[in-house]
Amino acid sequence: MEHYLKTDEWRIIESGFHPEFAECSEAIFSIGNGRMGQRANFEEGYGGQSLQGSYVAGVYYPDKTRVGWWKNGYPEYFAKVLNSVNWIGLDIEIEGERLDLNAAEVLQFERELDMKRGVLSRQFQLRFPSGKEIEVSAVRFVSMRRDEVGAIRYGMRALNFTGQARIIPFLDFDVVNQDSNYDEKFWEEVERRTGSQKAAILARTKKLDFQLASAMRYEWWTGDKIQTLYPETIERDKYVANSFEVTLEEGQDNCLYKYASVCSSMNHAPSALLDTADERASEARRAGFDVLLQEHTDHWAAQWEMSDIRIKGDASAQQGIRFNIFQLHQTYTGEDERLNIGPKGFTGEKYGGSTYWDTEAYCLPFYLSTAPQKVAKNLLVYRYDQLGKAIENAAKLGFENGAALYPMVTMNGEECHNEWEITFEEIHRNGAIAFAIYDYIRHTLDASYLFEGGLEVLTGIARFWFQRFHYSQRKRAFVMHGVTGPNEYENNINNNWYTNYIAAWCMRYTADCFDRCKQEDAKRTEALSSRLDWSKEEGMQWRDRADRVYLPQDQEHGVFEQHEGFMDKELVPAERLDPDERPINQHWSWDRILRSCFIKQADVLQGVYLFSEEFDRETHERNFDFYEPFTVHESSLSPCVHAILAARLGKMDKAYELYLRTARLDLDDYNKEVAEGLHITSMAGTWMSVVQGFGGMHWVGSDLHLDPALPDQWTALEFHLRFRGALLRVQVEPTRTEVLHLSGEAVELKLYGTKLKLSEGSAEQIERP
Ligand code: BGC
C-alpha cells in the first residue's frame, strides 16, 4: 500500500481524503472498549466503498456450516461475529443535498486517531454540487469507564451560505454481515420506542436469541446555546430516528452531541434491557460530553502508565508499537471472563471474532506484563469454563477418559472451524492452552490456580495427547500421524516436531503439577485426583510416553525436522520467489503450496522460542538459519517469533527488519488485507518482539531474565513490566540498562545475568556486557 498515513508518535493521521483506502482506514481508525467497538465508519454515512461494522463482544451467530463435502465430526456451524446496531448514524441533508463525502468535492480532510486519549476525530470541508461549502468537525469515542456508552460531538459550520439543514440522528439494526454463509440478515426487532430527542430499540439475533438494546439522546447547540427542538419521530422495522430542521447561519458554529448506549442480554435480563439502555444514554447526556471524555482519557492515561513503550530515534517504530498496544487494550480489558480476543477484535468480520490459539500463544504474555493479574487470569478461566465442551469435542472424535481437545476456533467452547486439516489435525492448539497455565504461574507465582481449574484443564489435555500418540514398532517410539503444525501450508503430516514436542512437554508438566499440588496441599490434591479419577500410575504412564516420543531430527543440518519428509522437498529459499507472486496464498494453487517448501509461519521455530531455555545457543542458531529462509511469513503471527529469535541471536538487522514487518503490518498493510480488519492477536506478538526480543526478557525456570540489546536504529528503549505485583520500568540504552521499581511488591530478577532485588522506589543500572 502506498504510505498514506503520517508518522506521528501518538497519533494515526490521514491527511487529505483517500477514498481508495476507505476500507483500510475504517479498520485502522477503529475504536473499542473491550465491550463494544466499531470500524471508523462515517457518522453521516458514505456512498463509496465501505464496510459498516459495529460489534458487541460475545454476541455471535451460529451460521450454518457450508462445505462441499461433509465429513463426520464437522461442526454444524461457524460462529460469525455480528455487525450490530449502527448507533453512530446521523443523516444530514442541506437544502436537498445529502452530506456524503462520496457525492461532494472534498476541499480538505483530516482524520486522526489519538491513541493517548482513545479518541477518533475528523475534520473536513466540502463543496456540494450546488456550490455550498460546509465544514465539519466530528469527535467520537466509546467510553472506557462506561463500557456500554459511546459519545459523538459533531460540529458543523456553513462557510458560504445560510440555509436549512435536516438532521436525522438514528439507531439502525437493519445491517448486513459481509461474512454470512447464506446472505441472511441476523437481527430481528423486538421493540422500539421513540420520543422527543430520544429513541431506543431492542433486537434479537436469530437462533441464539442474544438481545441488544440501544438508546440515544442528543442535543443541538448553536454557538454556546442549547436549542429547543421539536423533532418528528421516524420508525420502521429495526430502525428508530428523530428528524429536525435547523438553520445554518453562514459562519456560525453548530454542534450535535449524540449519546448512545448499547446493552446486551449477556449482562442484563432481557426484560430490563430497553430501560437500562435508555437509562445509560440518559445518564451519559446528563454527565455531558466533556465529563465523559475526561473520564475516558483518564482511563487511558492510567493504562499507558502501565504499558507504554518508548522507542527513541525511530518515530515509525514508535508509532507502530503504540498502535499495537492501543488496539490490544481496546479489544480486551479482562473485566469479563466470558470474553476473549478475536483475531480481528472490533475491526472486521473475518475469523468470526472467535477465539484461536493466538490468545494463549501470543496475547497472554502481553496481558501478563501490561495489565493487572486478573486480566490474564480471566483468559485462563475462559478455557476452564469451556473444559466440558473440549471433553465432548474429543469424545466426538473417539477419545476417552476425559481427554480434552480444545477447538481451533470457538465462541462458546464448541469447535466451529470446518476444514478437516485444521479442525481435526491442527491440534497443537491444545499445547498452547497448557503452556499458558505454565506461563501464568511462572510469571505471577500464583500456583493456586492449579487448584482452581488449572490442573483439570491440564489433565484433560495430557489425556488427549497420551491417546493421540501410537507406538511404532519400526521406530520403537511413540509417533503422531495426521496432523497440521502451525505451518498450515502442510497438512496431514506425520510427526510434526513442534506438536510432538509440546505434547510430550504437556504430559510431563501435568504430572509435575500433580506432584507440586500434593506438596502444597495433599488433602486437596487427593480430592481433586479422585474427582478426576487420576492416579499416580497415570502420571507415570504420561512420563513414560513423553520420554519415548519420536522427535524427528536432521543430522546433516543439525536441526529438528519440521515433520517427516520435509528434508526431501525441493529446498528453495523464499527470496527466490517472484515478488509478484507473493503472498503465495493469493497467487498459487493450494496444491502447489502444499508441495513447496515454503513455510507459512514459525513452526519448528515456534517450539524453539517457547522452550528456549531447553536448547543451547547453537541449536537456536542452526534452526533459525535453516528455517528462516523458507518462511514466507504469510500469517501475521510469524515475523514476531522470528524477530525475537533473531534478536536473541544478536542478528540485529534481521530482527529489526522482521520487527518492522510486525509492528507496522496493518499501518503499512504488508499482507494486503487490512481492509478486512486489523490483526489484533498478532499485535501482541509485536509487543513480544520488543520486550522479549530487543528487551531480552526470557525465563530460566521461574527466574525472569532481561538481556536487552538495541538495534542500531534506536537510541533508547523504555518499556513497562508488571511482574509479581510490581510495576517496573526498564530503560535501555545502547551500553547500559536501568530497571526502576515504580510501585508494588519487592521482586527479584536478573539483568544481564546479575541478580537484582528491587523494591518500591529503587533503581539498578548495569552496563551491557
Ligand atoms: C494462522 C493461525 C491463526 C489464525 C488466526 C491463521 O492464518 O495460520 O495460526 O490461529 O490465522 O489468527
Side-chain angles (χ1 to χ4, degrees):
M1 178 162 77
E2 174 206 327
H3 192 66
Y4 75 104
L5 301 170
K6 277 195 183 165
T7 304
D8 181 280
E9 296 195 346
W10 275 110
R11 296 170 305 161
I12 309 296
I13 304 164
E14 177 187 359
S15 195
F17 187 42
H18 291 270
E20 69 282 23
F21 299 127
E23 288 178 303
C24 300
S25 300
E26 285 176 349
I28 289 171
F29 290 82
S30 294
I31 50 173
N33 64 5
R35 181 74 62 194
M36 63 179 186
Q38 57 180 197
R39 290 166 64 88
N41 306 115
F42 299 157
E43 286 83 358
E44 70 280 0
Y46 180 60
Q49 275 299 107
S50 171
L51 173 66
Q52 172 80 39
S54 301
Y55 311 101
V56 177
V59 175
Y60 66 97
Y61 181 75
D63 207 7
K64 197 170 170 331
T65 297
R66 202 173 163 158
V67 285
W69 203 278
W70 187 263
K71 294 197 165 49
N72 279 345
Y74 269 174
E76 301 289 325
Y77 69 89
F78 196 121
K80 299 280 149 107
V81 62
L82 286 191
N83 181 15
S84 75
V85 60
N86 172 6
W87 61 265
I88 61 171
L90 187 59
D91 282 337
I92 298 166
E93 209 177 272
I94 299 174
E95 310 243 300
E97 290 176 300
R98 205 190 139 107
L99 178 53
D100 174 354
L101 280 145
N102 192 45
E105 186 186 345
V106 181
L107 303 173
Q108 183 256 331
F109 180 95
E110 180 120 342
R111 171 161 36 188
E112 181 183 302
L113 179 63
D114 179 342
M115 301 184 283
K116 198 172 198 168
R117 300 164 68 236
V119 176
L120 171 66
S121 60
R122 211 162 35 109
Q123 202 259 333
F124 60 87
Q125 288 181 1
L126 51 82
R127 182 180 295 136
F128 290 100
S130 64
K132 293 190 188 71
E133 293 176 10
I134 68 151
E135 184 176 88
V136 170
S137 163
V139 177
R140 81 169 182 252
F141 59 93
V142 279
S143 171
M144 276 289 190
R145 278 285 156 80
R146 308 179 189 215
D147 61 7
E148 297 174 318
V149 166
I152 300 169
R153 184 175 66 206
Y154 197 90
M156 261 188 291
R157 190 146 55 101
L159 296 177
N160 61 353
F161 69 98
T162 293
Q164 293 300 106
R166 176 151 294 281
I167 315 282
I168 308 180
F170 64 85
L171 303 170
D172 186 10
F173 266 107
D174 196 16
V175 291
V176 289
N177 254 65
Q178 197 181 56
D179 187 16
S180 149
N181 288 347
Y182 297 91
D183 289 335
E184 266 180 288
K185 284 196 172 177
F186 299 134
W187 292 99
E188 285 169 350
E189 184 188 299
V190 179
E191 196 182 332
R192 59 182 182 243
R193 294 177 188 167
T194 48
S196 179
Q197 289 184 241
K198 62 181 182 182
I201 184 158
L202 176 65
R204 61 195 281 177
T205 62
K206 293 183 189 164
K207 291 191 187 168
L208 293 184
D209 197 22
F210 280 108
Q211 298 201 18
L212 284 190
S214 182
M216 69 170 183
R217 292 285 189 282
Y218 64 90
E219 291 166 357
W220 179 261
W221 290 67
T222 303
D224 57 6
K225 279 210 183 68
I226 187 165
Q227 302 297 311
T228 309
L229 303 170
Y230 302 97
E232 294 162 25
T233 58
I234 310 176
E235 294 186 22
R236 57 172 185 263
D237 187 36
K238 295 189 257 190
Y239 175 96
V240 283
N242 268 197
S243 169
F244 60 93
E245 223 173 63
V246 287
T247 305
L248 301 184
E249 296 279 351
E250 183 171 337
Q252 171 79 261
D253 283 323
N254 303 279
C255 188
L256 181 117
Y257 289 95
K258 182 175 179 185
Y259 304 95
S261 62
V262 181
C263 298
S264 153
S265 55
M266 283 177 73
N267 308 310
H268 304 278
S271 57
L273 268 176
L274 258 186
D275 287 340
T276 310
D278 209 43
E279 189 48 37
R280 295 280 184 274
S282 161
E283 283 162 8
R285 181 185 169 187
R286 282 200 300 274
F289 190 85
D290 294 340
V291 169
L292 296 178
L293 181 61
Q294 189 62 49
E295 293 171 359
H296 173 72
T297 53
D298 287 350
H299 178 99
W300 271 110
Q303 189 67 266
W304 285 113
E305 284 285 307
M306 278 187 284
S307 47
D308 190 23
I309 290 185
R310 282 181 212 143
I311 295 174
K312 288 209 183 115
D314 190 343
S316 139
Q318 174 69 77
Q319 184 185 39
I321 188 66
R322 285 207 173 115
F323 182 64
N324 289 267
I325 296 171
F326 174 72
Q327 290 294 347
L328 282 160
H329 284 310
Q330 61 169 6
T331 303
Y332 182 75
T333 58
E335 290 298 322
D336 185 339
E337 76 282 358
R338 296 166 302 171
L339 303 181
N340 210 281
I341 307 140
K344 300 275 167 198
F346 299 117
T347 70
E349 298 172 13
K350 212 179 161 196
Y351 292 110
S354 317
T355 307
Y356 287 66
W357 73 303
D358 307 24
T359 292
E360 284 77 15
Y362 294 84
C363 301
L364 188 91
F366 170 80
Y367 292 106
L368 269 173
S369 292
T370 64
Q373 189 166 318
K374 83 156 199 244
V375 176
K377 185 167 175 182
N378 272 346
L379 290 174
L380 304 187
V381 173
Y382 175 91
R383 294 293 192 177
Y384 173 64
D385 289 345
Q386 299 184 349
L387 177 61
K389 291 254 169 34
I391 293 174
E392 273 173 36
N393 186 35
K396 210 161 111 180
L397 305 186
F399 294 85
E400 299 165 339
N401 187 30
L405 174 60
Y406 278 92
M408 184 67 188
V409 181
T410 192
M411 263 296 178
N412 66 350
E414 288 162 1
E415 175 65 83
C416 50
H417 196 98
N418 54 42
E419 288 168 294
W420 62 270
E421 63 277 24
I422 308 284
T423 309
F424 306 138
E425 297 205 327
E426 206 178 334
I427 52 180
H428 66 80
R429 63 208 185 223
N430 246 14
I433 291 164
F435 192 87
I437 296 173
Y438 168 72
D439 204 10
Y440 171 82
I441 293 174
R442 74 177 169 185
H443 195 109
T444 61
L445 293 185
D446 174 21
S448 66
Y449 181 67
L450 287 175
F451 287 111
E452 293 165 23
L455 200 53
E456 284 171 66
V457 170
L458 289 169
T459 301
I461 291 175
R463 285 178 171 163
F464 172 80
W465 290 128
F466 183 79
Q467 295 169 44
R468 188 60 172 77
F469 283 107
H470 69 272
Y471 189 68
S472 155
Q473 284 294 352
R474 192 160 71 92
K475 289 197 165 70
R476 296 190 182 283
F478 281 91
V479 294
M480 202 186 305
H481 281 193
V483 300
T484 295
N487 167 29
E488 293 176 342
Y489 289 176
E490 292 277 0
N491 305 143
N492 207 33
I493 52 177
N494 294 339
N495 292 316
N496 170 249
W497 178 84
Y498 172 72
T499 308
N500 285 11
Y501 196 91
I502 203 166
W505 174 86
C506 285
M507 289 191 282
R508 258 187 228 115
Y509 177 60
T510 309
D512 290 349
C513 285
F514 271 100
D515 293 347
R516 179 175 183 168
C517 285
K518 204 171 155 200
Q519 272 169 21
E520 261 160 51
D521 191 335
K523 240 177 147 177
R524 226 172 148 191
T525 311
E526 211 170 291
L528 192 57
S529 307
S530 111
R531 187 147 64 79
L532 293 170
D533 200 15
W534 182 88
S535 66
K536 217 170 163 222
E537 287 65 48
E538 187 173 2
M540 277 155 59
Q541 286 169 359
W542 288 344
R543 287 189 201 281
D544 174 64
R545 187 142 306 181
D547 290 344
R548 294 198 285 150
V549 160
Y550 177 68
L551 294 166
Q553 313 237 3
D554 180 73
Q555 301 305 339
E556 187 190 335
H557 299 94
V559 297
F560 306 122
E561 189 177 13
Q562 186 172 279
H563 59 87
E564 279 184 283
F566 183 82
M567 295 299 173
D568 297 327
K569 287 183 174 254
E570 189 186 349
L571 296 173
V572 190
E575 65 181 17
R576 292 222 214 121
L577 283 167
D578 177 348
D580 291 341
E581 294 189 358
R582 294 182 77 167
I584 57 173
N585 66 23
Q586 288 175 20
H587 295 91
W588 285 13
S589 71
W590 190 239
D591 162 70
R592 191 172 171 198
I593 290 176
L594 288 177
R595 285 184 288 109
S596 81
C597 67
F598 299 116
I599 302 172
K600 180 181 181 188
Q601 66 199 90
D603 192 305
V604 165
L605 295 184
Q606 181 77 29
V608 171
Y609 155 70
L610 279 185
F611 299 102
S612 174
E613 63 177 292
E614 296 177 16
F615 308 115
D616 60 20
R617 194 196 147 86
E618 287 67 39
T619 308
H620 276 80
E621 187 143 30
R622 281 195 305 274
N623 282 282
F624 182 85
D625 289 349
F626 182 78
Y627 285 108
E628 160 57 21
F630 305 125
T631 309
V632 285
H633 299 296
E634 290 181 10
S635 160
S636 60
L637 300 176
S638 188
C640 54
V641 173
H642 285 232
I644 295 168
L645 291 174
R648 287 182 185 168
L649 288 166
K651 299 174 191 288
M652 299 317 266
D653 288 345
K654 188 77 194 165
Y656 183 72
E657 172 202 321
L658 289 158
Y659 164 74
L660 271 195
R661 200 169 156 152
T662 137
R664 298 193 57 90
L665 177 85
D666 289 322
L667 290 178
D668 296 340
D669 201 10
Y670 277 107
N671 284 1
K672 302 189 175 73
E673 56 181 15
V674 73
E676 293 171 349
L678 305 176
H679 297 84
I680 300 292
T681 49
S682 74
M683 290 182 169
T686 303
W687 176 90
M688 284 170 12
S689 54
V690 176
V691 175
Q692 302 181 356
F694 303 120
M697 172 188 175
H698 66 107
W699 296 91
V700 179
S702 56
D703 290 343
L704 177 72
H705 285 240
L706 297 173
D707 291 301
L710 296 183
D712 290 345
Q713 291 81 351
W714 298 358
T715 53
L717 162 70
E718 182 182 296
F719 58 91
H720 291 88
L721 214 51
R722 289 189 68 116
F723 170 58
R724 298 180 185 167
L727 176 63
L728 308 176
R729 181 184 296 151
V730 183
Q731 290 173 335
V732 187
E733 286 175 20
T735 56
R736 65 197 167 116
T737 294
E738 184 174 42
V739 183
L740 290 89
H741 190 298
L742 299 178
S743 60
E745 308 289 316
V747 285
E748 288 183 8
L749 56 87
K750 284 191 173 163
L751 177 59
Y752 295 125
T754 303
K755 193 170 194 166
L756 307 183
K757 290 187 179 188
L758 296 158
S759 54
E760 196 160 315
S762 67
E764 295 272 3
Q765 205 181 81
I766 293 197
E767 298 293 314
R768 188 177 160 193

